[in-house]
Amino acid sequence: MTQQPFPPAALRGAVDLSALKRPAAPARGAGPGAPGDPAGATEAGATTGLLVTGSDATFQDFVNASLRYPVVVVLWSSRLPDSGDFVKVMGGLAASNQGRFQVVSVDVDENPGLLRALQVEQVPMTIALLQGRPLPLFVGPLLPQEVQPVIDELLQVAVQNGVTGRVTPASAADAAAAEEADEDVEPELPPHIAAAYDAIETGDLAAAATAYEQALAENPADAEAKAGLAQVGLMRRTEGVDPVAARAAAAADPTDVPAQILVADLDLLGGHVEDAFARLVDTVRATSGDERNQAREHLLELFEVVGSGDERVTAGRRALMSALF
């Protein structure tokens, strides 16, 4: 799988789950009514619902599900029941975010495979799964208002990577949590934005681009549509590209603007944000006239993909200004 442009904070400490094999029979696990299991979690073995219980036996199912929507795993210990209370906090956030991510509760005392694979040293420990990759988020219990900015960043990255599915509530507990969080639920997405998300989920990038363009036609100041169109453009430009051939062409001629742009796109898609920006800043320095403007405008588009609030974009803008003047 191509490495994606996950935020540095999320990438820190990412672990390899390849050694974790599904056992022949489900590992011993507590059901929703068992001692120590956080209330409201769908019983062990189930993989649908906003808040579910995971195990060594079923974890690969959630890894696979993270190709469709983000999965947030809360690792806790039945020997420390208070650590399990945080699962309910995350379940409430899953409901208030309209099922844009799933919460998986894992008792590490019952699942030694995950305890080892995820290198759990303190509970509760919260990680995300996105496109099959584990991304550490934070350790310890946080207040909902402290967690939401982390979730916002995770969801933004998910959209950038075309992971836009939603989890359907599968239990009465899910429905109750959704009702309880109703006051905090985000408003429904505008029709064109929702259509773009649906198209990305099915892999129809052309339809997604059209939807974003229609949203911008109605409201040229729509920042979400502008960023979404830039992100879809990145995915379309790099689809089916041979990275080895592209890099060879760029190395052969540093002033070939289309070649440099393509490699910058590949760098960004691969998570090498600073490299992508630096390549185009260097191209701006090495060119002039229309070619220089082409490199500059493309760099501005990549700034939109990453997001104006990212410190790397701020640094990239300073570097671009220095190259221009």
Side-chain angles (χ1 to χ4, degrees):
M1 180 185 302
T2 301
Q3 185 184 12
Q4 303 294 339
F6 302 113
L11 284 172
R12 190 177 302 119
V15 296
D16 181 9
L17 297 182
S18 60
L20 186 61
K21 304 297 184 183
R22 181 191 296 268
R28 182 170 61 92
D37 196 30
T42 303
E43 67 182 58
T47 57
T48 57
L50 298 179
L51 173 56
V52 297
T53 300
S55 67
D56 286 352
T58 61
F59 198 72
Q60 185 59 46
D61 294 332
F62 298 111
V63 172
N64 295 339
S66 73
L67 299 173
R68 303 189 301 276
Y69 45 73
V71 175
V72 174
V73 183
V74 180
L75 300 127
W76 60 285
S77 168
S78 53
R79 291 178 297 166
L80 300 169
D82 289 348
S83 67
D85 293 342
F86 186 62
V87 174
K88 289 177 281 187
V89 173
M90 293 304 302
L93 284 172
S96 65
N97 281 270
Q98 298 182 295
R100 294 181 66 190
F101 65 95
Q102 181 181 59
V103 177
V104 179
S105 165
V106 174
D107 180 355
V108 294
D109 295 331
E110 299 290 343
N111 297 283
L114 288 169
L115 175 67
R116 291 190 301 271
L118 296 171
Q119 305 169 26
V120 181
E121 296 181 356
Q122 181 180 338
V123 293
M125 171 179 166
T126 305
I127 71 167
L129 299 173
L130 189 60
Q131 290 193 323
R133 298 187 62 209
L135 309 172
L137 296 182
F138 51 84
V139 174
L142 301 180
L143 296 174
Q145 60 266 33
E146 296 174 312
V147 177
Q148 188 60 55
V150 179
I151 295 299
D152 289 342
E153 184 176 13
L154 174 65
L155 295 177
Q156 180 181 1
V157 173
V159 171
Q160 290 175 356
N161 289 273
V163 180
T164 59
R166 296 194 181 225
V167 185
T168 302
S171 68
D174 282 349
E179 183 176 352
E180 182 178 332
D182 187 58
E183 294 182 0
D184 299 323
V185 170
E186 299 174 358
E188 290 187 7
L189 292 171
H192 292 317
I193 300 297
Y197 282 14
D198 291 342
I200 291 172
E201 186 176 357
T202 61
D204 191 345
L205 299 180
T210 298
Y212 281 130
E213 288 166 352
Q214 290 172 341
L216 287 170
E218 293 185 3
N219 178 14
D222 189 333
E224 184 174 3
K226 188 175 182 181
L229 184 60
Q231 292 155 8
V232 168
L234 174 67
M235 290 187 283
R236 294 180 75 184
R237 290 192 302 270
T238 55
E239 194 172 26
V241 170
D242 181 347
V244 175
R247 292 185 185 281
D253 186 357
T255 62
D256 184 338
V257 174
Q260 303 306 322
I261 284 176
L262 181 56
V263 174
D265 286 347
L266 291 171
D267 282 341
L268 191 67
L269 195 64
H272 306 293
V273 176
E274 293 93 341
D275 291 344
F277 291 172
R279 176 178 293 275
L280 291 183
V281 167
D282 289 344
T283 304
V284 167
R285 287 196 180 99
T287 55
S288 61
D290 290 344
E291 290 183 334
R292 186 186 214 198
N293 193 52
Q294 182 184 6
R296 180 189 66 82
E297 289 183 349
H298 194 80
L299 180 54
L300 294 177
E301 184 175 345
L302 295 192
F303 289 160
E304 292 288 342
V305 173
V306 177
S308 59
D310 193 294
E311 61 184 15
R312 295 167 296 184
V313 171
T314 302
R317 290 189 186 279
R318 287 198 298 266
L320 176 58
M321 292 297 291
S322 175
L324 288 170
F325 303 105

